Amino acid sequence: MNLQVVLKGQTCDLTLKNPVIAASGTFGSGLEFRPFGDLSKLGGICVKGLSLQPRAGNPSPRIVETACGMLNAIGLQNDGVESFLKNKLPRLPWRETAIIANLYATSAEEFGQLAARLADEPGIAALEVNVSCPNVKAGGAQFGADPAMCAAVTGAVRKNAPRKHIMVKLSPNVTDIALMARSAEAAGADSISCINTLLGMAVDAASRRPMLANVVGGLSGPAIKPVALRCVWQVARAVGIPVVGLGGIVTPVDIVEFLLAGAAAIQVGTANFMRPDASFALVRDLPWVLADHGVQTPAELTGALVLD
């Protein structure tokens, strides 16, 4: 069975040995998960969001378990792009597995600077542009909710990283996600990843206080899978570039559902918190599920949803 997936972009393609990508913010730099599986077996690793300068993130508590999911308000804590390139990237299996850098910035200009810094790094296979983080006060949600701003950010990254595959990560917290996807495509995106977390909150009735110090955060996990599937289906019908689906994927059957809705590949997020070997287990078990569906490649299922 051939699990290879090629995300054919407008400017740059991205080849994955299989459709399973560990999602940003749920897999650290990747190094933290080495005790639980062989990183080189994954289709890709989307590393924790990177900014030009180190970020402390939001105050604690920053994670709350909810029914069928979790809320997080980490606030994109990271050591900065220079520390990642010096201390972490060289230790990742970037020759065997696609390493995707997730970018966070507070302006289109800053996104462009970050892209320029990564443009010539051979260990970085693609850039995922985070226009959709709902729990940071600067930037974040506003880029993912305004088509013009989304296009400006995407264009700045495209201009400064002309030889990298550009993936734009979209928010479900919008009126029309298809419109956002088209704006990113028009500005030069090679692929779309969706969805990021839904905006939510949790309340402690006993103390009458919010359970997150940030009050609101991003809801993820199986609870959001129906929303994610709907968004993937809408985006896949709206654009001509590949879609990478994420949101509540736990089992290989979940992967099949996202492929049928139009995804070419998927990302695994909250499941990595549920069991740290989740992404590795999905790679291991996916061939059996594909065989049960009578196909030899993931591409045979992409967009094969029966509507009549």
Side-chain angles (χ1 to χ4, degrees), residues 146-213:
D146 183 324
M149 294 184 74
C150 178
V153 167
T154 303
V157 174
R158 174 83 283 160
K159 177 181 178 181
N160 285 279
R163 294 178 297 279
K164 293 292 186 189
H165 184 97
I166 306 300
M167 183 183 299
V168 177
K169 189 172 187 177
L170 296 183
S171 169
N173 303 305
V174 296
T175 303
D176 186 348
I177 195 170
L179 175 62
M180 301 304 304
R182 287 193 294 268
S183 71
E185 179 182 35
D190 291 306
S191 62
I192 300 292
S193 56
C194 61
I195 55 175
N196 208 327
T197 54
L198 280 76
L199 190 62
M201 69 178 290
V203 172
D204 181 350
S207 67
R208 302 186 180 183
R209 294 180 179 277
M211 297 182 73
L212 291 171

Side-chain angles (χ1 to χ4, degrees), residues 11 21 82 159 163:
T11 302
I21 303 169
E82 296 301 335
K159 177 181 178 181
R163 294 178 297 279

Side-chain angles (χ1 to χ4, degrees), residues 23-25 45-51 76 78 81 84 99-105 111 114 118 124 126-133 167-169 193 196 267:
S24 178
I45 299 171
C46 196
V47 301
K48 186 171 175 58
L50 300 173
S51 51
L76 292 162
N78 74 99
V81 65
F84 171 78
I99 305 301
I100 303 170
N102 179 279
L103 311 186
Y104 170 71
F111 269 106
L114 194 51
L118 295 166
I124 300 296
L127 306 179
E128 183 178 59
V129 185
N130 185 356
V131 296
S132 53
C133 186
M167 183 183 299
V168 177
K169 189 172 187 177
S193 56
N196 208 327
Q267 293 185 15

